[in-house]
């Protein structure tokens, strides 16, 4: 049964992540090419739901590969990840988007 789930979740995750990657690349290009580059950089602490080392490695790498975000640090108790963002907006919206990615990774590793 677990293999059947993975057969579905792996391609679904890849398509989801590629869509987010393309979307963020277009957004970054739009901001860079605009006459006034309106950035609002800052640090955001995200609560982590992933506890395994492999899951945290995958999550932090995917966060860093997405334009506009860079994972900086994970707390010693693996509960909080510090992320540098290029466009700091509403923290709740950002956290919900990150939690969406975490849930998808959790489905892959559990």
């Amino acid at each position: 049964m677990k293999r059947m789930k993975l057969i579905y979740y792996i391609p679904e995750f890849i398509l989801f992540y590629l869509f987010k990657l393309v979307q963020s690349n277009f957004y970054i290009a739009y901001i860079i090419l605009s006459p006034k580059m309106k950035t609002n950089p800052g640090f955001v602490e995200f609560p982590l739901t992933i506890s395994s080392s492999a899951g945290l490695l995958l999550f932090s790498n995917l966060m860093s590969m997405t334009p506009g975000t860079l994972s900086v640090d994970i707390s010693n108790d693996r509960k909080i990840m510090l992320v540098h963002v290029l466009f700091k907006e509403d923290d709740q919206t950002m956290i919900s988007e990150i939690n969406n990615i975490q849930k998808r990774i959790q489905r892959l590793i559990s």
Side-chain angles (χ1 to χ4, degrees):
M1 184 66 171
K2 183 174 173 134
R3 289 181 196 247
M4 293 301 288
K5 283 203 259 184
L6 286 178
I7 288 172
Y8 173 75
Y9 288 139
I10 289 175
E12 185 261 344
F13 180 78
I14 291 171
L15 289 174
F16 166 79
Y17 185 72
L18 287 176
F19 174 76
K20 287 293 184 184
L21 192 61
V22 169
Q23 182 183 31
S24 61
N25 275 305
F26 277 118
Y27 186 65
I28 294 286
Y30 170 76
I31 296 298
I32 289 172
L33 296 174
S34 65
K36 293 182 181 180
M37 196 167 22
K38 296 180 182 180
T39 61
N40 185 19
F43 290 94
V44 179
E45 290 184 340
F46 290 110
L48 293 172
T49 57
I50 301 170
S51 59
S52 71
S53 296
L56 288 173
L57 178 65
L58 178 63
F59 181 63
S60 63
N61 283 334
L62 291 175
M63 288 295 298
S64 295
M65 288 180 356
T66 306
T69 59
L70 178 67
S71 57
V72 178
D73 191 25
I74 296 176
S75 64
N76 288 335
D77 60 356
R78 296 181 173 193
K79 301 275 186 212
I80 303 287
M81 176 184 276
L82 182 64
V83 177
H84 181 270
V85 293
L86 195 54
F87 307 102
K88 187 174 180 185
E89 297 170 4
D90 180 30
D91 284 355
Q92 280 306 106
T93 305
M94 294 172 64
I95 289 173
S96 68
E97 291 224 4
I98 297 303
N99 282 337
N100 189 13
I101 296 172
Q102 285 190 88
K103 286 177 193 173
R104 291 171 188 267
I105 291 174
Q106 197 76 19
R107 287 191 306 199
L108 291 176
I109 61 173
S110 60

